[in-house]
Amino acid sequence: MKMKSENMTAPHIEEAEIERQRLLCDTIEKELFSRGFGKERRPGYYIQTFGCQQNEADSERMAGIAWMMGYRPVSDPAAAELILINTCAIREHAEKKALSIIGTYKHVKDKNPGVIIGVGGCMVAQKHRADQLKNSYPYVNFSFDPGALHLLPELIYHALTGGKRRFVSSDTYAVAEGLPTHQKQSFKAWLSIMYGCNNFCSYCIVPYVRGRERSRTPEAILEEARRLIDGGARDITLLGQNVNSYGKDIGSMDIAALMRQICALPGDFRLRFMTSHPKDASDALIAAMAEEEKIVPHFHLPVQSGSDTILRRMNRKYTAQEYLRIIDKLKSSVPDVSLTSDIIVGFPGETDADFQETLDMLAAVEYDAIFSFIYSPRKGTPAATMEGQIPREVSSRRFEQLLSLQHDISRARNQRFVGRTIRALCEEVSKTDPDKMTARSDSPRPIHFENNKGVPVGEYCNLEIVSADTFSLYGELK
Ligand code: 5AD
Ligand code: SF4
C-alpha cells in the first residue's frame, strides 16, 4: 500500500504556466494602452459574484488579474470594458438568476461591441450549461470553470485580439498558486486552504463542478496568511468546501494544527473557517477553538436534517445522535460557542415525521442562526432521480415552519449578549445613515451602533450590547 509521506502535494499548475499567464497580463496592458487607455485612463472591469464565499474568494482573484492587466473596478456594467460573471450551481434558483443577468448584458454589448463578457464559476462546469451559453448567448466571449481560473489572462487576450469564442473546462483541477488578488476590503480576507469535495452528499453538485479535495501546502497557506496580516487583515476566514478535512489528501498537518500555526503569527487578527462536515469535526479542532484566543468561537456545522433516514439517503455519514454528541462536546469545551447550520427541507422521501425530527434538532441544538434551503434537484446527482420528490407546497410549508421556529430560537439566543461589552470589528457604514455602523464579533449576528466617536471601518471598538432582536444586536460605543 502506498503510504502518505510528509511531502506529498496535491497536483499543482506548473509555475511556468502561471508565469506565462502573468506575462500575458503585461501584454494585455500594452495592448489596451495602445488603444488609447493608460494608467490615468484605465478601462473598467465589472465582476458580478453569485454563491458562496469560495466564489467571493475566486472573484477577488479575478479582480487581481484584471487589475494586473490594467483594468480598474467600476460599479456599473454599462461603463465596463470587461464583464465577468462568477456563477453558482448549488440550486436551480442561483442558475436562473445568473442566466437572467447574463441575458441583460446583451444590451451592454449592443451599445459597446468591444466589451468582453466572460462567465466563470460552478454553473459553467456543467457541460449542458456551457453549451447553453455557447448556443443561446452569442455575445458571451468565453466561459471558464473554477479549475480554469488561472487561464483568465489567456482568454481575455484571445477575446481582445478578435479570437473565436472559447468555452474552457478543466479536467485536472490542479491547485494554482501565485495568482494575484485584489481584496474588496484589506481588513477582511478569504484564505482558501483547500478546494473541492470528496463527500458526494446525494443532493450536491459541488463534487462534480469543483472536483476532488486538493489541499494547498501549509507553507503556501502560512505565507499567504502572513502577507494578508501584513496588509492589514484583521478577520481571516479559512475556506474550503469541506474545510475541516484539510490535509488528509496530502498527509500534512490537519486544520487544527494549521490554525494554531496561523494564530501564532504576530498581529491583531481573528480566524474563522468554513464550511465543515460533522464527520471531520475532530476533538483536536474543538480543542484549538477552546484554547486559541484568535479563533472566533463560532462553529458552522451543517446538519442538513434531523432524521436518520434522510441523513442516510443524503449520504451524510452520521446519525442525529452522533451529530448531537459533537454539539455537546463543543458546548462543554468552548464556553458560549455560537453555532450555525445549513438545513435542507423537502429532500426526496422526507415525511412529516422526518421533518419533525429536523425541528427537534433545532430545538435541541439552539443554533444562533441557520441557512435553510428548499431541496432543489441537481442534474447528475443521485437525489435528483430518487423516488418521493416532495411537492413544492409541502416543502414551502415546512420551510416556513422551520424559519418560524428558528426565529424564536435566534431571538432568545441573541439576548445572551445584552449587557455585555464586547470587542468588535467595524465593518461598514450604513447605506442609509452615515452615522450608523455595523460591526462583527463572536456572534454571527451583525452589531449596529451609532458611530458618535468616528471609529473608522476596519478598526476594533468596544461595544456595550443594549438590545437584540432576531437578526441583529444593537450596541453603544464605550
Ligand atoms: N438543494 C438545496 N440545498 C442544497 N444545498 C446543497 N445542495 C443543495 C440542493 N440540491 C445546501 C446545503 C449546503 C448548502 C451550501 O447548500 O445545505 O450545506
Ligand atoms: Fe456538497 Fe456535501 Fe461536499 Fe458540502 S460536503 S460540498 S454538501 S457534497
Side-chain angles (χ1 to χ4, degrees):
M1 196 179 103
K2 201 172 153 195
M3 295 297 287
K4 283 186 175 175
S5 72
E6 272 301 310
N7 54 7
M8 251 172 89
T9 50
H12 277 57
I13 308 284
E14 284 187 13
E15 262 175 53
E17 174 58 23
I18 301 286
E19 189 50 27
R20 193 173 73 82
Q21 299 295 331
R22 283 176 157 271
L23 288 174
L24 269 171
C25 290
D26 296 341
T27 313
I28 292 166
E29 186 172 37
K30 287 199 190 95
E31 177 66 32
L32 287 168
F33 288 7
S34 77
R35 298 179 183 198
F37 293 106
K39 284 252 185 286
E40 304 306 316
R41 198 179 152 251
R42 287 169 170 260
Y45 73 79
Y46 179 82
I47 299 178
Q48 182 142 27
T49 311
F50 294 90
C52 64
Q53 288 83 1
Q54 189 62 62
N55 264 18
E56 295 283 346
D58 284 352
S59 288
E60 290 190 349
R61 294 261 182 245
M62 294 179 200
I65 292 171
W67 181 260
M68 207 172 161
M69 292 183 301
Y71 291 88
R72 76 188 155 93
V74 291
S75 54
D76 176 9
E81 297 297 323
L82 171 67
I83 298 178
L84 298 173
I85 304 110
N86 194 3
T87 61
C88 169
I90 200 95
R91 283 168 292 276
E92 194 188 0
H93 181 65
E95 294 195 330
K96 281 201 168 146
K97 242 170 48 190
L99 287 169
S100 110
I101 293 280
I102 298 167
T104 65
Y105 292 147
K106 177 179 183 305
H107 308 296
V108 178
K109 190 86 160 199
D110 286 345
K111 285 208 179 107
N112 175 11
V115 64
I116 295 172
I117 303 180
V119 185
C122 294
M123 185 182 85
V124 297
Q126 307 166 98
K127 189 172 179 312
H128 68 284
R129 290 299 188 199
D131 286 347
Q132 187 179 356
L133 284 180
K134 194 167 159 179
N135 299 329
S136 311
Y137 297 76
Y139 46 90
V140 168
N141 293 83
F142 57 82
S143 74
F144 56 109
D145 68 16
L149 175 63
H150 64 286
L151 297 177
L152 194 52
E154 181 178 324
L155 291 167
I156 292 174
Y157 182 70
H158 192 75
L160 197 64
T161 52
K164 279 200 188 124
R165 303 167 70 217
R166 287 179 65 183
F167 297 85
V168 185
S169 71
S170 152
D171 317 316
T172 51
Y173 281 104
V175 175
E177 292 293 355
L179 298 178
T181 306
H182 187 78
Q183 283 167 248
K184 261 195 186 151
Q185 298 157 306
S186 58
F187 62 88
K188 201 171 174 167
W190 308 118
L191 205 178
S192 299
I193 64 169
M194 63 182 301
Y195 307 96
C197 181
N198 290 352
N199 289 333
F200 288 94
C201 300
S202 62
Y203 50 81
C204 187
I205 195 79
V206 166
Y208 305 90
V209 293
R210 283 195 176 260
R212 293 301 80 70
E213 289 174 9
R214 287 103 55 205
S215 296
R216 295 175 68 194
T217 63
E219 295 75 27
I221 296 165
L222 282 160
E223 192 188 308
E224 187 170 348
R226 241 177 251 121
R227 191 178 51 71
L228 290 167
I229 297 161
D230 287 348
R234 302 205 134 159
D235 188 301
I236 303 176
T237 305
L238 305 185
L239 290 181
Q241 255 79 33
N242 188 18
V243 76
N244 55 343
S245 71
Y246 173 78
K248 289 195 175 156
D249 58 319
I250 57 171
S252 75
M253 63 177 76
D254 63 6
I255 187 173
L258 180 72
M259 288 181 83
R260 285 190 192 267
Q261 291 213 1
I262 298 175
C263 288
L265 297 173
D268 192 3
F269 64 91
R270 304 200 79 199
L271 203 53
R272 304 171 191 269
F273 58 100
M274 70 184 332
T275 284
S276 298
H277 192 293
K279 79 172 171 45
D280 299 309
S282 65
D283 290 352
L285 179 54
I286 296 174
M289 183 179 271
E291 290 159 21
E292 296 287 345
E293 250 186 63
K294 287 179 178 168
I295 301 181
V296 175
H298 167 208
F299 214 121
H300 180 62
L301 195 61
V303 68
Q304 312 294 1
S305 167
S307 148
D308 287 344
T309 319
I310 298 298
L311 287 171
R312 206 173 319 112
R313 287 163 65 91
M314 284 179 164
N315 192 28
R316 287 292 288 179
K317 306 179 182 96
Y318 53 83
T319 62
Q321 271 285 314
E322 284 161 351
Y323 179 87
L324 282 169
R325 266 203 291 277
I326 303 169
I327 295 293
D328 281 346
K329 243 189 258 173
L330 262 166
K331 284 183 176 172
S332 58
S333 317
V334 186
D336 207 16
V337 65
S338 289
L339 296 166
T340 53
S341 188
D342 293 344
I343 307 277
I344 297 177
V345 299
F347 185 82
E350 184 186 71
T351 62
D352 282 338
D354 291 320
F355 175 62
Q356 182 57 49
E357 289 185 293
T358 299
L359 296 178
D360 295 345
M361 176 63 81
L362 259 50
V365 178
E366 294 188 300
Y367 294 107
D368 285 69
I370 59 166
F371 300 89
S372 42
F373 310 101
I374 291 180
Y375 169 71
S376 166
R378 305 284 60 215
K379 198 176 155 126
T381 61
T385 48
M386 278 182 188
E387 281 179 10
Q389 301 287 326
I390 306 292
R392 188 79 193 182
E393 318 80 77
V394 177
S395 306
S396 299
R397 181 167 37 77
R398 289 180 187 163
F399 186 75
E400 292 305 322
Q401 213 179 326
L402 185 87
L403 279 193
S404 156
L405 171 63
Q406 182 56 43
H407 288 173
D408 290 345
I409 296 171
S410 293
R411 204 177 315 113
R413 282 287 292 160
N414 292 342
Q415 302 308 316
R416 74 189 191 281
F417 293 103
V418 175
R420 290 190 207 169
T421 297
I422 49 187
R423 190 167 187 251
L425 184 64
C426 298
E427 290 195 337
E428 63 181 336
V429 178
S430 156
K431 288 188 184 72
T432 48
D433 182 347
D435 295 331
K436 292 224 163 70
M437 221 184 212
T438 302
R440 212 165 280 265
S441 183
D442 293 354
S443 160
R445 298 298 185 189
I447 313 167
H448 305 292
F449 66 101
E450 188 86 31
N451 189 12
N452 46 19
K453 290 190 182 166
V455 185
V457 161
E459 282 302 321
Y460 287 107
C461 63
N462 288 318
L463 289 167
E464 183 185 339
I465 307 302
V466 291
S467 65
D469 57 24
T470 310
F471 302 107
S472 305
L473 307 178
Y474 301 87
E476 278 174 10
L477 270 177
K478 285 286 124 187

